[in-house]
Amino acid sequence: MSSDRSERLRAIRDAVVNLTESPLFEYRRNNNYFPVIGQGDHYADIMFIGEAPGKNEAETGRPFCGASGRVLDELLASIDLNREDVYVTNILKDRPPNNRDPLKNEIELYTPFLEQQIEVIQPKVIATLGRFSMEFILRRFGAYQANQKISQLHGAVIKVRAAYGSAAVVPLFHPAAALYNASQRETLEKDFQVLKKFDAPAQPGTMRLL
């Protein structure tokens, strides 16, 4: 079973690596960047979804490995979790130029890979990091809160129905916000406490980069 999940996630990785039709493919190649597929436990109860890789992420192929990644690790530690206990990915699997916001056509191109990752990992809770991630996931699951703002929904537990069963979506501010605003850090720390009810590590030692 474990190898089956790994094989399915590797297939997703290979498809993204060879996604020549992506408007970000040439930018990746010209800068010697890597696609950033995801990292963590393939049986994670909690799946974090950000918006797009930054420069550090594209240079290493690892999600959330820069300053915002350090904040994410600290927030996980505040609820007694390690990166190995969760799965972390983004909507876009390639870095947009100058860290600009994802474009609509880019979101449409990359979200099928994200949907496949969700189907493989089958998380109990999807924690969205930032506005773009929240909006896509809530619309994807037909949540009536989809048109509300993140300032209204952060820290809420929104029940949804996935193909594999019931799940919950917890919208969170992006960890990068905590780098510039102390009050946002406090909000994130408080909102992360909501995740404690979902924080049972599934299979210790199953950290994987894909």
Side-chain angles (χ1 to χ4, degrees), residues 69-79 185 192:
R70 290 193 295 273
V71 174
L72 177 59
D73 289 343
E74 292 166 1
L75 291 167
L76 287 170
S78 74
I79 57 171
R185 173 63 180 250
F192 257 68

PDB file of all heavy atoms in Angstrom, residues 69-79 185 192:
ATOM      1  N   GLY A  69       9.233  28.996   5.559  1.00  0.00           N
ATOM      2  CA  GLY A  69       9.323  27.608   5.979  1.00  0.00           C
ATOM      3  C   GLY A  69       9.758  27.475   7.427  1.00  0.00           C
ATOM      4  O   GLY A  69       9.290  26.587   8.150  1.00  0.00           O
ATOM      5  N   ARG A  70      10.669  28.344   7.846  1.00  0.00           N
ATOM      6  CA  ARG A  70      11.087  28.333   9.259  1.00  0.00           C
ATOM      7  C   ARG A  70       9.917  28.685  10.163  1.00  0.00           C
ATOM      8  O   ARG A  70       9.745  28.094  11.235  1.00  0.00           O
ATOM      9  CB  ARG A  70      12.250  29.304   9.472  1.00  0.00           C
ATOM     10  CG  ARG A  70      13.552  28.842   8.843  1.00  0.00           C
ATOM     11  CD  ARG A  70      14.734  29.657   9.330  1.00  0.00           C
ATOM     12  NE  ARG A  70      14.649  31.054   8.912  1.00  0.00           N
ATOM     13  CZ  ARG A  70      15.112  31.493   7.750  1.00  0.00           C
ATOM     14  NH1 ARG A  70      15.655  30.646   6.881  1.00  0.00           N
ATOM     15  NH2 ARG A  70      15.025  32.777   7.445  1.00  0.00           N
ATOM     16  N   VAL A  71       9.107  29.642   9.723  1.00  0.00           N
ATOM     17  CA  VAL A  71       7.918  29.988  10.503  1.00  0.00           C
ATOM     18  C   VAL A  71       6.968  28.799  10.568  1.00  0.00           C
ATOM     19  O   VAL A  71       6.425  28.476  11.628  1.00  0.00           O
ATOM     20  CB  VAL A  71       7.209  31.219   9.889  1.00  0.00           C
ATOM     21  CG1 VAL A  71       5.886  31.490  10.618  1.00  0.00           C
ATOM     22  CG2 VAL A  71       8.097  32.445   9.955  1.00  0.00           C
ATOM     23  N   LEU A  72       6.773  28.132   9.423  1.00  0.00           N
ATOM     24  CA  LEU A  72       5.897  26.964   9.402  1.00  0.00           C
ATOM     25  C   LEU A  72       6.395  25.891  10.367  1.00  0.00           C
ATOM     26  O   LEU A  72       5.607  25.305  11.121  1.00  0.00           O
ATOM     27  CB  LEU A  72       5.803  26.401   7.987  1.00  0.00           C
ATOM     28  CG  LEU A  72       4.959  25.128   7.821  1.00  0.00           C
ATOM     29  CD1 LEU A  72       3.525  25.364   8.263  1.00  0.00           C
ATOM     30  CD2 LEU A  72       5.004  24.640   6.374  1.00  0.00           C
ATOM     31  N   ASP A  73       7.699  25.635  10.374  1.00  0.00           N
ATOM     32  CA  ASP A  73       8.260  24.636  11.282  1.00  0.00           C
ATOM     33  C   ASP A  73       8.033  25.026  12.741  1.00  0.00           C
ATOM     34  O   ASP A  73       7.733  24.173  13.591  1.00  0.00           O
ATOM     35  CB  ASP A  73       9.754  24.455  11.015  1.00  0.00           C
ATOM     36  CG  ASP A  73      10.029  23.733   9.704  1.00  0.00           C
ATOM     37  OD1 ASP A  73       9.100  23.089   9.164  1.00  0.00           O
ATOM     38  OD2 ASP A  73      11.167  23.821   9.215  1.00  0.00           O
ATOM     39  N   GLU A  74       8.180  26.308  13.041  1.00  0.00           N
ATOM     40  CA  GLU A  74       7.959  26.776  14.410  1.00  0.00           C
ATOM     41  C   GLU A  74       6.494  26.636  14.807  1.00  0.00           C
ATOM     42  O   GLU A  74       6.174  26.261  15.944  1.00  0.00           O
ATOM     43  CB  GLU A  74       8.414  28.232  14.537  1.00  0.00           C
ATOM     44  CG  GLU A  74       9.924  28.414  14.425  1.00  0.00           C
ATOM     45  CD  GLU A  74      10.335  29.858  14.221  1.00  0.00           C
ATOM     46  OE1 GLU A  74       9.439  30.730  14.175  1.00  0.00           O
ATOM     47  OE2 GLU A  74      11.553  30.119  14.111  1.00  0.00           O
ATOM     48  N   LEU A  75       5.597  26.910  13.878  1.00  0.00           N
ATOM     49  CA  LEU A  75       4.171  26.765  14.158  1.00  0.00           C
ATOM     50  C   LEU A  75       3.807  25.292  14.362  1.00  0.00           C
ATOM     51  O   LEU A  75       2.998  24.957  15.234  1.00  0.00           O
ATOM     52  CB  LEU A  75       3.354  27.366  13.017  1.00  0.00           C
ATOM     53  CG  LEU A  75       3.429  28.891  12.881  1.00  0.00           C
ATOM     54  CD1 LEU A  75       2.849  29.341  11.540  1.00  0.00           C
ATOM     55  CD2 LEU A  75       2.687  29.572  14.030  1.00  0.00           C
ATOM     56  N   LEU A  76       4.401  24.414  13.567  1.00  0.00           N
ATOM     57  CA  LEU A  76       4.180  22.983  13.753  1.00  0.00           C
ATOM     58  C   LEU A  76       4.686  22.542  15.118  1.00  0.00           C
ATOM     59  O   LEU A  76       4.025  21.781  15.834  1.00  0.00           O
ATOM     60  CB  LEU A  76       4.879  22.193  12.651  1.00  0.00           C
ATOM     61  CG  LEU A  76       4.238  22.244  11.266  1.00  0.00           C
ATOM     62  CD1 LEU A  76       5.163  21.625  10.229  1.00  0.00           C
ATOM     63  CD2 LEU A  76       2.890  21.521  11.266  1.00  0.00           C
ATOM     64  N   ALA A  77       5.873  23.028  15.494  1.00  0.00           N
ATOM     65  CA  ALA A  77       6.436  22.661  16.795  1.00  0.00           C
ATOM     66  C   ALA A  77       5.535  23.125  17.934  1.00  0.00           C
ATOM     67  O   ALA A  77       5.469  22.466  18.981  1.00  0.00           O
ATOM     68  CB  ALA A  77       7.835  23.257  16.943  1.00  0.00           C
ATOM     69  N   SER A  78       4.822  24.236  17.731  1.00  0.00           N
ATOM     70  CA  SER A  78       3.939  24.752  18.783  1.00  0.00           C
ATOM     71  C   SER A  78       2.776  23.824  19.073  1.00  0.00           C
ATOM     72  O   SER A  78       2.144  23.928  20.133  1.00  0.00           O
ATOM     73  CB  SER A  78       3.415  26.142  18.405  1.00  0.00           C
ATOM     74  OG  SER A  78       2.416  26.065  17.387  1.00  0.00           O
ATOM     75  N   ILE A  79       2.487  22.906  18.137  1.00  0.00           N
ATOM     76  CA  ILE A  79       1.441  21.903  18.378  1.00  0.00           C
ATOM     77  C   ILE A  79       2.051  20.496  18.374  1.00  0.00           C
ATOM     78  O   ILE A  79       1.382  19.513  18.087  1.00  0.00           O
ATOM     79  CB  ILE A  79       0.279  22.011  17.374  1.00  0.00           C
ATOM     80  CG1 ILE A  79       0.774  21.885  15.925  1.00  0.00           C
ATOM     81  CG2 ILE A  79      -0.488  23.315  17.560  1.00  0.00           C
ATOM     82  CD1 ILE A  79      -0.356  21.771  14.900  1.00  0.00           C
ATOM     83  N   ARG A 185       1.542  36.832  13.363  1.00  0.00           N
ATOM     84  CA  ARG A 185       2.194  35.673  13.986  1.00  0.00           C
ATOM     85  C   ARG A 185       1.337  35.157  15.148  1.00  0.00           C
ATOM     86  O   ARG A 185       1.120  33.953  15.288  1.00  0.00           O
ATOM     87  CB  ARG A 185       3.587  36.067  14.472  1.00  0.00           C
ATOM     88  CG  ARG A 185       4.320  34.988  15.287  1.00  0.00           C
ATOM     89  CD  ARG A 185       4.585  33.744  14.467  1.00  0.00           C
ATOM     90  NE  ARG A 185       5.268  32.721  15.240  1.00  0.00           N
ATOM     91  CZ  ARG A 185       6.528  32.347  15.049  1.00  0.00           C
ATOM     92  NH1 ARG A 185       7.256  32.944  14.114  1.00  0.00           N
ATOM     93  NH2 ARG A 185       7.078  31.406  15.767  1.00  0.00           N
ATOM     94  N   PHE A 192      -3.328  27.729  14.672  1.00  0.00           N
ATOM     95  CA  PHE A 192      -2.710  26.406  14.593  1.00  0.00           C
ATOM     96  C   PHE A 192      -3.205  25.476  15.696  1.00  0.00           C
ATOM     97  O   PHE A 192      -3.190  24.249  15.526  1.00  0.00           O
ATOM     98  CB  PHE A 192      -1.183  26.524  14.639  1.00  0.00           C
ATOM     99  CG  PHE A 192      -0.524  26.346  13.296  1.00  0.00           C
ATOM    100  CD1 PHE A 192      -0.698  27.298  12.300  1.00  0.00           C
ATOM    101  CD2 PHE A 192       0.254  25.236  13.024  1.00  0.00           C
ATOM    102  CE1 PHE A 192      -0.100  27.146  11.058  1.00  0.00           C
ATOM    103  CE2 PHE A 192       0.855  25.070  11.793  1.00  0.00           C
ATOM    104  CZ  PHE A 192       0.674  26.024  10.799  1.00  0.00           C
TER     105      PHE A 192
END
